[in-house]
Amino acid sequence: MTTDYLVIGSGVAGLTFAVKMAEKFPKRNVVIVTKANEDESNTKYAQGGVAIVSNKEEDSFKKHIKDTLIAGDGLCNEEVVAMVVKEGPDRLEELLLWGANFDVNDAGKFDLGKEGGHSEYRIIHHKDITGYEIERALLHKAHQLENISILPHHFAIDLVTNHHIAYLNSEELRCYGAYVFDQKSGTIFTIKANSTLLASGGIGCVYGHTTNPVIATGDGIAMAYRAKARIQDMEFVQFHPTALYEAKGESSFLISEAVRGFGAYLRNKKGKRFMPDYDERAELASRDIVSQSIDSELKKSGESHVYLDCTHLDMDAFIDHFPNIYKKCLEHHIDIKSDWIPVVPASHYLCGGIKVNKKGKTTIDNLYACGECSRTGLHGANRLASNSLLEALVYAHNIYKHLVKKDHVAFELDIPDWNDEGTTIPEEHILIQHNLKQLQAIMRDYVGIVRSNKRLKRAIKRLDLIYEEVEDLYKESKITTSLCELRNMINVAHLIIRQSLDRTENKGGYYNIDNLK
């Protein structure tokens, strides 16, 4: 298959780019490859909203920039922060034109929320399912454009670069598309593309306990890494302080930061409100502080979770603002009018990823990255709440602007077919599951919120054993999605651990006890 633009991922980043390109060039084709249903992405689960300065009387770009820089703990690219913040209102305008709905107050103005790290009310939201609403609007728009093809249940295995094409100069790193696995038919085919965009989301499942959906296995970052793109800041994994605690673990339901913005208190098992002991901002401190504080409380008490107390809040207003959270708690037999919500930090967002410039270009020609899989310099050492959807919207637009100006010349080259001669259908599904559980346990136990060099080195030793076993399995097996995902997660885990060991000072979301000595 040949296309003008190949997009890997169907969240806000990929869909925004696809819609813009397809509208601008009706005779050019955009193919979107997504490994689950077309609407399944991290975007869909983003509860809080989009951080945008819309009330210029009480808020300002300057304040939003300052809040972002404080959260990023000195590692943000200040030019990037200013650019993203200032473009926010224009990108919001587009979402409104495409049919996204956001909550308004009785005066007809945006009903703005406030989250940890923000000095003003500036979170534009749709109830507590903002990402779901944006995804709905973008998909609706994409389906109206005949030159966009969406391929659900298609898994991108690897990027095609000059390394795959024997007669090309191997010094020049350039991307020509991807090898794609049709999960329903079991066939693997090549999509040749003038430009490829990785918009493949996050890495949460590497940790097991995560607020991310099961698809968040770091596929785009791992593909880019194997293709020799530059990957940066992988040590900065953001843990959301308040995921609903479930004894069995696995993907956890997110109790939005906006609930603390609404006035909820964090308490330990004895009922003590502990956050004021750690930070003067208390529950509204940035996520890294709140997560580390909870981690400290749990280590002191030996308990498995703390509690979020909403019982003192205006319940009618709470239920109106957070209907989805209220309903989910009831499903777990928690009535927030009288019960505290058991919560625990869970892997939530990756601040690093595939290094890109302001145009969204990676270090490989014709390859772009956008959204959570990219490292733009916006977040630094710790993402400010609700800046992620904003970043995806702005960078999708920047890549679009860049490609509009770029010469559009189709590649005349033959890409070799995927070769799986000599492989067999694996009967080792149990082996994949066993190694996955081991990987997730290693990451939780050794590479969590608080790290040490000793634990990180132990993690590498254990990870190397899993890596060798899985690589052997990969070479001799027919492709399956679960095997490819596991391989990708091992690559991502390796990057997180190695880049953690390279960091010698604690910043933002990265905390290593050996850096205090």
Side-chain angles (χ1 to χ4, degrees):
M1 182 186 289
T2 299
T3 186
D4 295 291
Y5 306 104
L6 170 61
V7 177
I8 297 170
S10 61
V12 62
L15 288 174
T16 300
F17 170 79
V19 165
K20 283 173 176 282
M21 291 312 295
E23 278 197 317
K24 178 73 176 174
F25 300 110
K27 295 197 172 160
R28 294 183 192 172
N29 294 320
V30 183
V31 172
I32 301 172
V33 166
T34 189
K35 68 176 176 180
N37 295 329
E38 61 180 34
D39 69 340
E40 187 68 6
S41 67
N42 276 15
T43 296
K44 182 177 165 183
Y45 298 88
Q47 292 179 351
V50 193
I52 289 174
V53 175
S54 61
N55 181 349
K56 298 278 180 62
E57 286 145 34
E58 291 174 27
D59 199 3
S60 66
F61 291 147
K62 192 175 177 182
K63 287 180 184 175
H64 189 178
I65 289 166
K66 187 181 176 188
D67 292 345
T68 302
L69 294 175
I70 290 169
D73 203 7
L75 292 187
C76 299
N77 180 323
E78 292 193 29
E79 280 183 38
V80 166
V81 173
M83 174 194 75
V84 171
V85 166
K86 287 173 183 176
E87 279 206 27
D90 288 345
R91 305 287 72 82
L92 173 65
E93 203 59 42
E94 284 174 341
L95 281 179
L96 295 169
L97 286 171
W98 291 338
N101 298 301
F102 299 101
D103 293 352
V104 291
N105 58 26
D106 294 339
K109 295 189 171 179
F110 288 121
D111 176 29
L112 301 174
K114 188 177 184 182
E115 296 180 354
H118 288 274
S119 57
E120 297 292 345
Y121 285 83
R122 67 168 68 99
I123 314 300
I124 289 163
H125 58 87
H126 179 90
K127 301 294 183 190
D128 52 356
I129 52 168
T130 308
Y132 184 89
E133 169 61 14
I134 293 172
E135 181 80 8
R136 179 204 63 75
L138 284 167
L139 270 174
H140 180 71
K141 183 70 182 168
H143 283 301
Q144 292 174 335
L145 296 161
E146 289 181 1
N147 51 336
I148 293 180
S149 305
I150 303 178
L151 304 180
H153 304 289
H154 281 68
F155 185 91
I157 304 170
D158 264 322
L159 297 169
V160 176
T161 65
N162 32 292
H163 296 133
H164 295 94
I165 303 161
Y167 59 84
L168 285 181
N169 176 5
S170 61
E171 295 302 306
E172 249 183 300
L173 270 178
R174 186 171 281 185
C175 180
Y176 299 100
Y179 289 113
V180 175
F181 174 54
D182 179 339
Q183 296 172 75
K184 291 195 169 169
S185 70
T187 56
I188 297 168
F189 63 100
T190 309
I191 299 181
K192 187 163 78 171
N194 273 50
S195 301
T196 300
L197 172 65
L198 288 169
S200 51
I203 57 99
C205 291
V206 170
Y207 282 89
H209 289 300
T210 179
T211 60
N212 295 179
V214 293
I215 55 162
T217 53
D219 306 317
I221 293 169
M223 281 193 290
Y225 170 62
R226 291 195 295 269
K228 310 247 182 320
R230 174 99 186 271
I231 315 291
Q232 191 173 333
D233 293 347
M234 293 293 285
E235 67 271 32
F236 296 120
V237 179
Q238 193 174 57
F239 291 82
H240 198 287
T242 53
L244 182 63
Y245 172 74
E246 296 182 62
K248 68 181 191 327
E250 304 303 322
S251 285
S252 308
F253 181 75
L254 174 67
I255 307 296
S256 170
E257 189 144 354
V259 172
R260 280 178 285 128
F262 202 77
Y265 297 146
L266 279 163
R267 300 189 186 277
N268 60 23
K269 197 171 186 181
K270 292 177 180 172
K272 177 175 163 46
R273 185 185 171 201
F274 58 84
M275 274 313 300
D277 296 346
Y278 292 92
D279 193 286
E280 62 184 18
R281 295 169 293 177
E283 283 81 6
L284 286 179
S286 56
R287 288 176 177 180
D288 55 320
I289 303 287
V290 180
S291 293
Q292 286 164 22
S293 303
I294 294 172
D295 188 69
S296 172
E297 287 291 311
L298 296 179
K299 282 191 166 81
K300 278 193 283 188
S301 67
E303 299 292 339
S304 55
H305 56 278
V306 294
Y307 296 91
L308 198 60
D309 175 10
C310 305
T311 56
H312 57 287
L313 301 174
D314 177 338
M315 272 305 134
D316 290 339
F318 185 98
I319 294 165
D320 183 57
H321 201 84
F322 305 109
N324 202 34
I325 291 171
Y326 179 71
K327 179 167 162 270
K328 190 74 174 181
C329 287
L330 282 180
E331 285 170 13
H332 284 77
H333 311 292
I334 301 160
D335 183 350
I336 61 164
K337 294 171 189 172
S338 54
D339 303 330
W340 296 346
I341 307 168
V343 291
V344 67
S347 162
H348 181 60
Y349 189 87
L350 178 68
C351 296
I354 306 158
K355 187 175 187 297
V356 297
N357 66 11
K358 283 194 205 163
K359 296 170 183 170
K361 290 177 71 175
T362 70
T363 51
I364 297 177
D365 202 18
N366 303 327
L367 180 66
Y368 301 82
C370 186
E372 190 174 349
C373 71
S374 69
R375 183 268 179 202
T376 64
L378 173 68
H379 307 307
N382 185 35
R383 173 179 69 99
L384 181 67
S386 289
N387 265 356
S388 48
L389 290 173
L390 173 64
E391 178 192 48
L393 292 166
V394 170
Y395 269 82
H397 182 71
N398 285 5
I399 298 166
Y400 155 75
K401 279 194 306 186
H402 167 69
L403 287 175
V404 163
K405 292 176 190 164
K406 193 182 176 198
D407 288 341
H408 190 74
V409 184
F411 300 125
E412 295 299 327
L413 57 101
D414 295 319
I415 296 170
D417 291 338
W418 182 266
N419 184 357
D420 62 357
E421 276 177 36
T423 58
T424 56
I425 295 168
E427 294 169 12
E428 301 290 346
H429 187 69
I430 190 76
L431 191 63
I432 294 170
Q433 287 306 304
H434 173 71
N435 278 315
L436 173 62
K437 296 288 178 218
Q438 275 201 316
L439 168 69
Q440 290 172 333
I442 288 167
M443 294 304 285
R444 281 199 302 273
D445 296 344
Y446 296 103
V447 201
I449 295 168
V450 176
R451 300 173 197 173
S452 73
N453 291 341
K454 191 175 180 182
R455 281 196 294 240
L456 290 168
K457 284 170 183 170
R458 281 183 178 158
I460 283 180
K461 281 186 183 172
R462 285 161 170 73
L463 187 64
D464 283 347
L465 295 172
I466 298 174
Y467 170 79
E468 284 170 21
E469 194 167 286
V470 171
E471 281 302 300
D472 286 345
L473 189 62
Y474 182 79
K475 283 169 190 164
E476 63 197 30
S477 305
K478 293 274 186 201
I479 288 293
T480 65
T481 301
S482 57
L483 177 55
C484 288
E485 285 179 330
L486 175 58
R487 189 168 176 248
N488 289 339
M489 284 191 271
I490 290 167
N491 285 162
V492 167
H494 174 84
L495 284 161
I496 293 170
I497 298 166
R498 283 285 174 204
Q499 294 187 4
S500 292
L501 280 166
D502 289 343
R503 177 154 295 283
T504 54
E505 70 175 325
N506 293 336
K507 284 282 187 183
Y510 181 72
Y511 191 81
N512 184 327
I513 56 175
D514 292 315
N515 290 344
L516 301 172
K517 294 168 186 171

